Amino acid sequence: MRLASVDARGLALGLNPGMTLADARARLPGLIVHPADPARDAAALSALAADSEMFTPMVALDPPHGLMLDITGCAHLFGGEAGLMRRIRHRLRQRGHMPVLALAPTPDAARALARFGGADCLSAVGAETRALPVAALEAGEEVLLALNRAGLKDLAALEACPPGVLAARFGAGLVAKLRRVLGQDNARITPLRHVPACLAERHFPEPLLALEAILALVKRLAGDLARMLEARGEGGRRFELSLFRSDGRVQRLVVETGHACRDPAVIERLFALRIEALADPIDPGFGFDSVRLAVLASEAFGQVQPDFDGHRLEDLALEDLIDRLSTRFGAARVLRAEAEDTHDPVRAARFVPAQRGAVMSLWPEPEPGEGPRRPIRLFDPPQAIEALAEVPDGPPLRFRWRRVLHEVARAEGPERIAPEWWRVEPGTLARDYYRIEDAEGRRFWVFRQGFYGHSGQPPRWFLHGLFA
Amino acid sequence: MPASMADSSADLAFRRVRLARALLSDRTLPADPAHFPARVSFGLPALDEALQGGLARGALHEFHAIEGADAAAAGGLMLALARRAAETRPIVLVRQDFLERETGALYPAGLPELGFDPARLVVVRARDVVSLLQAGVEAARCPALGAVLLEFWGDHRAFDLTSSRRLALAAQDSALPILMMRVAAPATPSAATTRWQVRPGLSRALEARAPGPPCFRLRLLKHRQGLDLREWCVEWNRDRAVFESRHAGPAAQNYRHDRPQSGGASLSRAVPALPADRDPADERADSGLRQAG
């Protein structure tokens, strides 16, 4: 067993990662050890990454235990680069971490400075970077050994070598890495999460506790967003609220709208409903340090032109209602009907989420003077009934459904509906549908599956729907 | 000519006012009393007169189905009424999930057969009665709708005087009718303006004993203004979108047995099964014939 990592005091006492546990114990009998758990380390790092999003939306993991933040255009919000570093260091120390921070023009330079520079560092590429040991290029043991043997100890020495010679001896990768560390080439980081088109946020000197205050703040942030969206001629379809708790937990809430929207009152109301519908309510803990509202998806948004009789406004009022209901109960529970051009009764109609927008469907026209041909309730799957019917294709005379006997007073049929052969397994039986009414006036849609005398068993009867 | 010109200019003025009001009120459209009458009529004079013009628009109305098998009839009646109330406006229907298992899922392909356009329907599937009532209030506050329909099973303590009052107030504010179906539920106190019992009626047979248009037996159980509690048998005429009178069938006669006999032959209001425009003697004369149907 070996030591995976050692804290600062351990290092000071001469322990090193990679040392065997027996050696370490021999030196320091009072050594406290915990088994290494890479999975939990990774989870903790992800949580830190989410929390770091309060400083910039561009955050990437830098394994094994680093985070890479692209702070382009963010530093001035926290009092400049030095202020931002102070803020980040303070936040991490609060949570018990001992961070080493480095700020540099390229990600590779920052990584090299943080890992091999030894102390916190804020630098344009200069003396600090050039003084880094060649190990900072992380090129592997063999290359490191070869470089050391050649007397190349630091990056300044490497830089002095002609790149062609280095590339011929150690490969083009080393030269490219050297250029990136020295800031001559820039590779952008890939942020963990998609960077939103627009976002608005507030940071607080004191943590915010009251939910009402958060909602009021959401409205103000939405007002900021509305101005940004207006300048772009867009409206948001999906909004995300991120609440950064002072202990580092990040809670995210997402609401969607059925149409492009930038009305702060509507957005606030949707979030209020969303919060109300949460299974476990928001726990502010010791309060929120910062709140961010981002537009995750947006689309073109035209100013509403009310038409002459106000129908367009009515449509909008309905869409707002659908958004509110969908936010509260889930989009899969607020539905509109859509017709399918098929004679299979089960597939002829289906429900789709209403937020997807109005659907144009052609429903079959009823025949004037006739009774209804299709029921208003359908059982899926059809319910088995015991029926007594005339052979071969008469309607049932009486039938038993859910232990109640119904005497048939009126009947019409059969309407034969064959299965769609291109869709079902061969051997699926055709159905003869009957519309029947019992002596009480209840109207049923029943069918016989298969025909008399075609196979050994008599065909079975099912109740498929109920008429009004 | 002059009359129709006056009509159209009045219409134009009305639309202008409506538009101006819509713009001023920031998207909230007040339901227009000029456009939507204060009552939802059945289109059947005998019934409408007895109800003083029909069902009040900005109010809650309960429709009770005694058992699950009657729920489809109550649902059909409510859709037909919503069709009359809403004209071309959208309708929100909130159903409890439990009903799906017990009385079948809503089947949109059957709605045009009642003269109801499924494109105007927004369905909300509610997990329980609490969320059903929440969705109902939320929908009832939207004045762009034509009607709100709620359907749930049984008795639930979430539905009491307070919550029904909340619904009724929301309905009043936006002048929307809320039609609520209750299946297998006792008539607990509520803020409903009317309470009805709905059962299917034996339909008028078409050729070759085919079932005809849907027929409902309606029994008024409660009316806030203390109107006569009576029973009607009505048929829904899909093509004209009105209810028509249908003479009570044999089942309605069975129904009379469990009523307390009051005053023997005095037929002032003790025989709810009779439509208002029929002579009782007439009914006795041909009852045998109808029983045979």
Side-chain angles (χ1 to χ4, degrees):
Chain A
M1 287 213 279
R2 287 175 184 276
L3 300 184
S5 67
V6 184
D7 71 355
R9 281 179 62 203
L11 283 174
L13 290 170
L15 301 185
N16 279 314
M19 190 181 259
T20 60
L21 180 60
D23 282 354
R25 280 252 159 87
R27 287 194 189 191
L28 275 180
L31 183 69
I32 301 169
V33 290
H34 296 286
D37 187 347
R40 279 182 64 190
D41 287 350
L45 193 63
S46 299
L48 272 187
D51 185 49
S52 302
E53 273 184 34
M54 71 182 276
F55 301 109
T56 164
M58 304 263 283
V59 175
L61 294 179
D62 186 30
H65 27 61
L67 287 179
M68 196 65 80
L69 275 61
D70 186 340
I71 57 152
T72 314
C74 302
H76 69 281
L77 299 170
F78 303 91
E81 291 174 346
L84 178 61
M85 282 179 73
R86 226 176 7 253
R87 183 89 188 258
I88 294 177
R89 187 184 307 120
H90 178 68
R91 194 166 174 85
L92 291 172
R93 287 234 169 110
Q94 261 187 340
R95 302 186 59 190
H97 296 288
M98 299 297 290
V100 179
L101 305 181
L103 199 150
T106 67
D108 292 88
R111 178 181 164 104
L113 283 169
R115 287 177 186 275
F116 299 92
D120 283 4
C121 176
L122 191 163
S123 126
V125 175
E128 290 102 333
T129 326
R130 294 205 163 74
L132 286 173
V134 287
L137 296 181
E138 298 175 71
E141 288 294 321
E142 280 177 34
V143 176
L144 190 61
L145 197 64
L147 285 172
N148 278 331
R149 278 190 187 150
L152 298 166
K153 299 288 184 198
D154 55 15
L155 298 190
L158 268 187
E159 196 189 9
C161 294
V165 176
L166 277 181
R169 173 69 180 80
F170 300 107
L174 188 79
V175 179
K177 175 83 182 173
L178 179 66
R179 289 177 59 79
R180 289 206 300 272
V181 172
L182 292 177
Q184 291 154 353
D185 256 343
N186 195 357
R188 307 300 298 261
I189 63 168
T190 309
L192 276 179
R193 283 156 37 84
H194 178 69
V195 178
C198 302
L199 59 86
E201 60 188 3
R202 290 278 191 286
H203 301 274
F204 318 113
E206 286 291 315
L208 192 68
L209 277 163
L211 210 57
E212 296 77 36
I214 291 172
L215 280 176
L217 184 71
V218 166
K219 192 167 181 183
R220 279 182 34 210
L221 293 177
D224 294 351
L225 279 187
R227 276 188 290 283
M228 289 181 228
L229 287 168
E230 200 171 346
R232 300 159 62 110
E234 288 184 339
R237 286 288 305 271
R238 194 152 77 240
F239 297 89
E240 184 193 61
L241 179 69
S242 309
L243 301 166
F244 296 89
R245 226 163 74 169
S246 54
D247 63 356
R249 260 195 62 197
V250 184
Q251 186 148 18
R252 299 185 202 279
L253 300 171
V254 177
V255 299
E256 284 191 56
T257 60
H259 58 108
C261 160
R262 61 184 182 218
D263 183 350
V266 171
I267 298 170
E268 182 211 0
R269 182 143 170 67
L270 288 179
F271 275 110
L273 287 172
R274 185 78 191 76
I275 289 171
E276 203 175 302
L278 284 178
D280 37 325
I282 288 188
D283 174 16
F286 294 107
F288 298 107
D289 273 345
S290 130
V291 173
R292 166 183 300 166
L293 187 63
V295 181
L296 298 187
S298 60
E299 63 183 35
F301 177 80
Q303 271 302 340
V304 182
Q305 286 257 6
D307 57 0
F308 201 49
D309 51 7
H311 278 312
R312 180 73 193 120
L313 290 172
E314 281 177 13
D315 288 351
L316 277 180
L318 177 67
E319 279 171 24
D320 283 348
L321 173 69
I322 288 174
D323 286 344
R324 288 201 298 276
L325 291 172
S326 304
T327 307
R328 192 148 172 177
F329 303 109
R333 289 189 162 268
V334 184
L335 309 163
R336 264 195 239 256
E338 202 175 68
E340 180 86 16
D341 186 15
T342 169
H343 56 253
D344 176 357
V346 176
R347 290 182 51 244
R350 61 163 178 259
F351 285 105
V352 295
Q355 266 192 328
R356 278 201 224 150
V359 278
M360 290 298 292
S361 284
L362 271 181
W363 299 93
E365 286 283 313
E367 266 176 60
E370 287 292 311
R373 290 167 304 178
R374 288 289 178 267
I376 62 166
R377 300 277 186 266
L378 203 71
F379 287 101
D380 187 27
Q383 306 211 327
I385 53 173
E386 301 162 27
L388 178 70
E390 259 176 64
V391 174
D393 59 357
L397 299 174
R398 66 178 63 93
F399 68 96
R400 191 182 292 278
W401 174 50
R402 289 181 175 168
R403 293 199 292 267
V404 180
L405 192 67
H406 298 270
E407 291 283 342
V408 175
R410 315 227 187 286
E412 189 178 46
E415 175 188 355
R416 182 158 301 169
I417 300 181
E420 295 172 327
W421 55 262
W422 59 95
R423 203 175 277 282
V424 300
E425 289 173 28
T428 305
L429 300 172
R431 295 170 171 186
D432 275 349
Y433 278 90
Y434 297 86
R435 298 190 284 118
I436 59 179
E437 185 173 325
D438 73 0
E440 296 275 310
R442 291 172 185 144
R443 288 165 281 272
F444 305 92
W445 206 38
V446 300
F447 68 85
R448 190 187 64 235
Q449 191 156 39
F451 311 113
Y452 283 100
H454 273 221
S455 61
Q457 303 114 326
R460 296 172 66 201
W461 286 85
F462 294 90
L463 187 144
H464 204 175
L466 301 172
F467 290 92
Chain B
M1 262 306 152
S4 80
M5 287 235 320
D7 260 11
S8 71
S9 73
D11 188 44
L12 202 61
F14 159 71
R15 277 164 184 252
R16 262 193 210 130
V17 169
R18 184 172 154 74
L19 184 61
R21 209 190 295 168
L23 289 174
L24 283 177
S25 62
D26 189 25
R27 280 199 193 178
T28 49
L29 298 178
D32 223 302
H35 191 57
F36 286 104
R39 284 176 181 275
V40 182
S41 74
F42 281 78
L44 173 63
L47 184 48
D48 289 337
E49 272 164 36
L51 293 172
Q52 300 179 342
L55 297 177
R57 186 173 290 273
L60 171 66
H61 303 278
E62 280 183 35
F63 295 85
H64 282 250
I66 302 170
E67 47 183 315
D70 292 341
L77 177 88
M78 281 172 33
L79 284 170
L81 274 173
R83 157 87 178 75
R84 283 192 62 81
E87 292 172 17
T88 60
R89 289 179 159 221
I91 284 165
V92 171
L93 168 64
V94 191
R95 287 197 95 204
Q96 186 193 10
D97 281 349
F98 181 74
L99 279 180
E100 207 121 304
R101 257 175 293 153
E102 219 37 50
T103 70
L106 183 73
Y107 186 50
L111 303 185
E113 306 282 341
L114 291 179
F116 189 97
D117 180 8
R120 291 194 287 125
L121 188 70
V122 175
V123 180
V124 182
R125 295 178 51 224
R127 200 173 282 121
D128 48 33
V129 178
V130 176
S131 50
L132 176 129
L133 294 172
Q134 284 172 347
V137 172
E138 189 74 53
R141 289 199 185 121
C142 177
L145 296 183
V148 177
L149 313 184
L150 309 173
E151 301 184 359
F152 69 97
W153 180 283
D155 195 19
H156 196 282
R157 63 191 148 76
F159 183 72
D160 54 12
L161 266 175
T162 316
S163 58
S164 62
R165 180 98 186 111
R166 199 171 293 141
L167 278 174
L169 283 177
Q172 200 180 340
D173 288 346
S174 46
L176 271 184
I178 302 184
L179 310 180
M180 171 182 279
M181 187 218 285
R182 304 194 56 198
V183 187
T188 47
S190 77
T193 304
T194 63
R195 182 179 296 136
W196 299 81
Q197 187 186 76
V198 186
R199 306 161 91 199
L202 197 62
S203 70
R204 175 165 54 84
L206 302 177
E207 270 175 68
R209 278 208 321 144
C215 174
F216 309 101
R217 281 180 289 147
L218 301 176
R219 186 181 175 205
L220 185 58
L221 298 179
K222 166 193 158 183
H223 195 291
R224 277 229 148 160
Q225 288 158 354
L227 299 184
D228 280 356
L229 305 182
R230 299 173 42 185
E231 181 163 328
W232 292 270
C233 193
V234 296
E235 179 181 293
W236 171 243
N237 185 327
R238 168 195 61 215
D239 304 322
R240 288 175 47 223
V242 293
F243 286 95
E244 289 175 346
S245 177
R246 162 117 180 98
H247 309 316
Q253 289 176 344
N254 296 341
Y255 177 62
R256 207 175 295 152
H257 292 311
D258 51 46
R259 284 184 49 82
Q261 294 291 318
S262 63
S266 94
L267 292 164
S268 59
R269 48 175 280 195
V271 183
L274 297 185
D277 57 345
R278 270 180 69 80
D279 183 359
D282 188 6
E283 199 223 10
R284 265 198 299 279
D286 59 9
S287 64
L289 192 137
R290 272 181 283 112
Q291 255 167 341

